[in-house]
Amino acid sequence: MKVDLVGGDAVIIVDVQNDFLPGGSVPVPLGNEVIPGLNRYIAAFLFRQLPIFATRDWHPPDHCSFQQQGGPWPAHCVAQTEGAAFPADLEIPCDTHIISKATSREKDAYSGFSETELNALLQSSGISRLFIGGLATEYCVLNTVRDALAYRYTTFVLRDAVRGIDVDSSRSALEEMARLGANLIDFEVLA
Ligand code: VGL
Ligand code: ZN
């Protein structure tokens, strides 16, 4: 199968932020391996003048998901900090649409669609197919893909540009995404 990129396609880069990379506070092992792969997808979309979206976890310092507040995670991706920033080697163009999520203290959100402007922006840009990669496979990628399918986007998961926190749960997450109707692709499939 070859996939031609056409008008109506968009790429969504999920939560590629310093705190989710090795050395960060919630590190995805080998998370840095997605960066060169994502840069290739970004270049392909840029070349065709197709839109690029990047979601980011953007928490207040006392977010409910943090262990200090009784949540499951070490503090991570606090808005405006270096941990929440995109890594310097991720080549996101300056007109990338940046979507901040889980911004209020009381609520966590794994999906980029959760209480954000993402769906409205995609709709107003006439997008019908989504190409989704990033971190972490079994959390924010999985939940973003589930919502994309629920909103009836034709959805491609960039299998060579996702990494998870746990190998087994990442494999199950990819299986679930495929079962729900997502197409798992590698860069070579792009025409
Ligand atoms: C994420 C854990 C906590 C993610 C966000 O982006 O996958 N994981 N917050
Ligand atoms: Zn988070």
Side-chain angles (χ1 to χ4, degrees):
M1 181 199 51
K2 278 281 181 186
V3 176
D4 234 324
L5 293 181
V6 293
D9 291 348
V11 64
I12 304 181
I13 296 153
V14 175
D15 293 18
V16 180
Q17 295 169 269
N18 290 326
D19 271 341
F20 294 131
L21 295 171
S25 59
V26 182
V28 174
L30 309 178
N32 52 304
E33 289 184 357
V34 302
I35 295 173
L38 287 170
N39 285 341
R40 288 207 290 175
Y41 286 104
I42 290 168
F45 279 74
L46 198 56
F47 179 74
R48 294 170 178 82
Q49 295 182 293
L50 297 171
I52 296 163
F53 293 79
T55 67
R56 63 183 181 188
D57 223 19
W58 199 245
H59 297 316
D62 55 352
H63 190 249
C64 62
S65 77
F66 297 172
Q67 283 161 357
Q68 271 175 326
Q69 322 295 323
W73 303 107
H76 63 278
C77 298
V78 172
Q80 315 287 356
T81 65
E82 192 51 31
F86 298 123
D89 48 351
L90 181 68
E91 293 162 0
I92 51 170
C94 50
D95 60 351
T96 298
H97 302 278
I98 294 173
I99 308 292
S100 303
K101 66 179 171 62
T103 57
S104 71
R105 189 178 59 79
E106 320 79 51
K107 272 202 85 177
D108 202 9
Y110 288 146
S111 165
F113 289 93
S114 181
E115 295 179 45
T116 68
E117 66 281 28
L118 179 57
N119 193 47
L121 272 173
L122 294 170
Q123 290 299 307
S124 63
S125 313
I127 300 303
S128 58
R129 300 200 304 178
L130 295 176
F131 294 74
I132 302 176
L135 307 172
T137 309
E138 73 272 48
Y139 293 102
C140 289
V141 173
L142 172 63
N143 284 279
T144 302
V145 166
R146 274 192 190 134
D147 280 349
L149 291 164
Y151 281 119
R152 311 201 131 272
Y153 293 98
T154 300
T155 303
F156 297 87
V157 178
L158 312 179
R159 182 170 39 198
D160 52 353
V162 297
R163 292 292 184 278
I165 294 177
D166 174 81
V167 174
D168 290 329
S169 24
S170 297
R171 190 183 312 109
S172 327
L174 284 169
E175 283 166 11
E176 181 182 346
M177 292 186 258
R179 188 172 50 74
L180 292 172
N183 306 289
L184 310 186
I185 64 164
D186 297 305
F187 187 78
E188 289 65 37
V189 162
L190 295 190

